[in-house]
Structures are given as C-alpha cells and as structure tokens.
Amino acid sequence: MMNLSGNGRREPGRTVSMARGVNQAIVGPRFEQKFGRRPLAPDDPAATINDLIFARMIEPDWSPLHRAFVDKITAKAQARQLCPDLRVAETLSVIPVETIRSVDHLHDMLQPFIGTAAIAKPAHASGAPVFLRDVTSPADLMALHDLAGRDYALVMREMQYRGLPRRIVVETLVPARGAAPPDDYKFHCIHGEPLLCQVDHGRFGEAWSRLFRVPGFAPMDADDGLSPPDGYRLPDPGRLVALTAAARALAAPFDMVRVDLYDGADGLYFGEMTFTPAASLGIAPSAAGCHRETPTHREYSRTLMAAFRRRG
C-alpha cells in the first residue's frame, strides 16, 4: 500500500497524490486533535490564524518566489536582492543527498568542518540542525541524515517544499556577542507589514520567547505571565528600527509570512522565511504553555487575522 503516514517516506516506484483534498484528509486529523475541531475556511468569521496557515500549506500551487525563499540555499540570494544591507551566513558546502551513501559517509563528507564554528542542516526541510563543533561521531548526525533523506512535503503536507532538491547545506555560524547564540527575531507580517515580533532568547539552552507589538515593542499581552530572564533586555531602539525595516523589505511581496532575523555581533542577519509556521499547529508563547489555545494565542490570532481581512 501507499505510505501516507506523514513521515516523509514512500515506497519506491509509487506516486503519492498531493492534491489539496488528499492533503486535507491526511493532516486534517492532526489539526482536529490539536484544536478540537476541523479546520475552517479562511473566510469564515471564526477562522483563526491557524486555519489560514492550514489552508495555505495544503495548497499545491506555490509561486517560484515562495519556493525560492523556502530553499535555504536560494533564500539567501533572494534576501540580499530585497534587502541588500542584510548579512547572510556564508555557505561553506552543499551536499546533494543522493551522493550520501550512509550516515558514516556523511560524517566523512563533513569532516573538514567538524570541530569548527559551522552548522549543517537540510536545505529543503525544517529542523535537524547540527552544530558541527559538537560532533564527536556519526551518531550525532543521525537526525540530520534521516530528515535530509525525506520528502519534507509529505511530513505535514506543506506543499511549498514539494519537489525541492534534497541537499544539506553547511554554513558559518552567525557571530554572537558571547557564548550563547544570537537572539532570533521572528516578525509576523501581513500584507508586507510587520505587526508582531516573537523574540527567541537562549534558543539552545534555557529558552525564553515572548511576542511584542511592532513598532513599539511593547509586550503583545501584558498578562502572558512571562518575565524576561536575568540580564536580558531588548536591543536599543535604533537596532529595533533596523530589524523592523529589514523585515518589512523582505515581507513586501507576500500577504502573509514570518521573517526570521538574527541580531549578530557584527550586524543583522537573514534567518529564514516561513510561510506556514509550525505547520498550522503553533500556539503563541505564554506561561500557560503551548498545548492548547490560550488568551495570549487568541490575541495573537486576532491581531493577524484582523489585518489580513482588512485587505482580503
């Protein structure tokens, strides 16, 4: 039988349908499990941002520009075209997945970069990054090897990934001011305008995230129960203005996108463009957690959907 389990594997020689109706039938139950209801059409007055993301991700037709921004290799060139002053991580190597015979072979191919300030990740998927300075054996590359070999469009039917060349990209790390990685600024943009920014601090340690309104960077929800960790503060106003301007430039061609930027030690860096955050299952950060909808999440959704509908 055809494998439609959503894990990205499929039987050799079998064609897996990616029609919209098939996609909805496969991942709709995941949405229903998370939110306790079926996905709504985006034009339904009760639809949330999760419904809009779900409707987008199962749609097979994506523009060449969307797809160029999804691929982590071509995205950097596209970002520099829209925002020339933005820095991008240097590409050190590109490894076509079909050339990798095994995880041990991948370890051999990455040997020149192991122990250095570099990162390896699938260019055609989301997840499984490996900090190569920490790699001690092929076992450390298992998750990367596994995800890189999958058709990521089949995992949660995010169709913008359909048909992308399967490659692993090796990049330099974004320079940080200290031992911790630089903070990630995730701008939620509607019709080209940044409205909210999720700040991710301490991403690979004691992680802390909070949503702020743009451009003033006041907390989106003062009652979200979140307090900044000791020693943390937002960048100075000039830096926030520059981050917001870069996000606006990158979001200009799109009616809905999340623009991820890094505040590096030597400038602002492009991270990625995300058109279907968390494959429609994401919940806004708050002290209440991310398992079910919360008052903070409802405010996040209302903010974005109100802006979307004004131009819809």
Side-chain angles (χ1 to χ4, degrees):
M1 289 181 62
M2 187 183 302
N3 180 5
L4 297 178
S5 62
N7 64 7
R9 301 292 189 192
R10 59 182 175 183
E11 296 179 20
R14 293 294 185 116
T15 300
V16 178
S17 174
M18 294 189 183
R20 193 179 195 283
V22 173
N23 295 337
Q24 176 150 359
I26 291 171
V27 293
R30 297 283 297 276
F31 188 99
E32 188 169 356
Q33 181 181 27
K34 179 78 173 185
F35 298 105
R37 61 171 178 81
R38 294 180 178 180
L40 300 174
D43 58 358
D44 189 305
T48 68
I49 191 65
N50 303 90
D51 294 292
L52 178 58
I53 294 169
F54 182 88
R56 290 291 175 88
M57 76 181 195
I58 65 173
E59 176 58 51
D61 296 323
W62 288 78
S63 74
L65 185 59
H66 280 101
R67 289 167 55 77
F69 267 112
V70 170
D71 186 303
K72 290 180 173 59
I73 297 168
T74 58
K76 290 189 282 189
Q78 294 292 334
R80 291 297 299 272
Q81 286 185 27
L82 291 176
C83 190
D85 293 334
L86 196 61
R87 294 175 180 264
V88 296
E90 180 185 356
T91 299
L92 301 174
S93 181
V94 175
I95 304 173
V97 169
E98 64 268 20
T99 67
I100 304 170
R101 297 191 298 272
S102 65
V103 69
D104 295 288
H105 184 217
L106 176 60
H107 184 265
D108 291 341
M109 298 172 87
L110 291 175
Q111 196 61 50
F113 311 105
I114 290 176
T116 71
I119 188 170
K121 53 191 175 183
H124 57 287
S126 179
V130 176
F131 291 96
L132 296 175
R133 63 190 173 197
D134 301 327
V135 170
T136 60
S137 73
D140 297 323
L141 302 173
M142 283 295 297
L144 171 63
H145 179 264
D146 181 62
L147 184 60
R150 295 174 184 263
D151 183 344
Y152 194 70
L154 295 180
V155 175
M156 275 296 291
R157 295 288 163 150
E158 294 175 275
M159 290 292 101
Q160 67 271 35
Y161 294 99
R162 180 182 183 182
L164 292 182
R166 300 185 199 183
R167 300 179 288 183
I168 290 174
V169 59
V170 182
E171 300 176 337
T172 56
L173 291 177
V174 174
R177 294 182 177 84
D183 292 336
D184 191 355
Y185 293 80
K186 298 179 175 179
F187 288 86
H188 296 263
C189 306
I190 299 293
H191 299 301
E193 187 61 28
L195 300 178
L196 300 171
C197 180
Q198 178 176 317
V199 178
D200 289 351
H201 174 74
R203 291 173 292 130
F204 302 103
E206 295 185 13
W208 176 84
S209 299
R210 195 178 197 185
L211 279 162
F212 296 85
R213 295 191 185 274
V214 177
F217 279 83
M220 183 201 72
D221 178 12
D223 298 320
D224 59 14
L226 299 171
S227 299
D230 292 341
Y232 173 78
R233 60 188 179 90
L234 286 168
D236 63 65
R239 196 75 155 185
L240 293 175
V241 168
L243 283 162
T244 303
R248 183 178 293 111
L250 293 172
F254 307 108
D255 62 357
M256 180 184 71
V257 65
R258 195 189 75 200
V259 177
D260 295 6
L261 303 173
Y262 295 115
D263 184 16
D266 59 348
L268 307 183
Y269 279 77
F270 174 70
E272 64 179 356
M273 304 277 272
T274 304
F275 298 101
T276 56
S280 81
L281 303 181
I283 298 291
S286 75
C290 59
H291 302 293
R292 291 290 182 267
E293 287 184 279
T294 64
T296 298
H297 182 75
R298 286 190 281 272
E299 178 59 26
Y300 155 77
S301 179
R302 277 195 297 267
T303 299
L304 299 181
M305 290 302 288
F308 187 81
R309 287 170 175 139
R310 279 196 292 269
R311 290 271 301 272

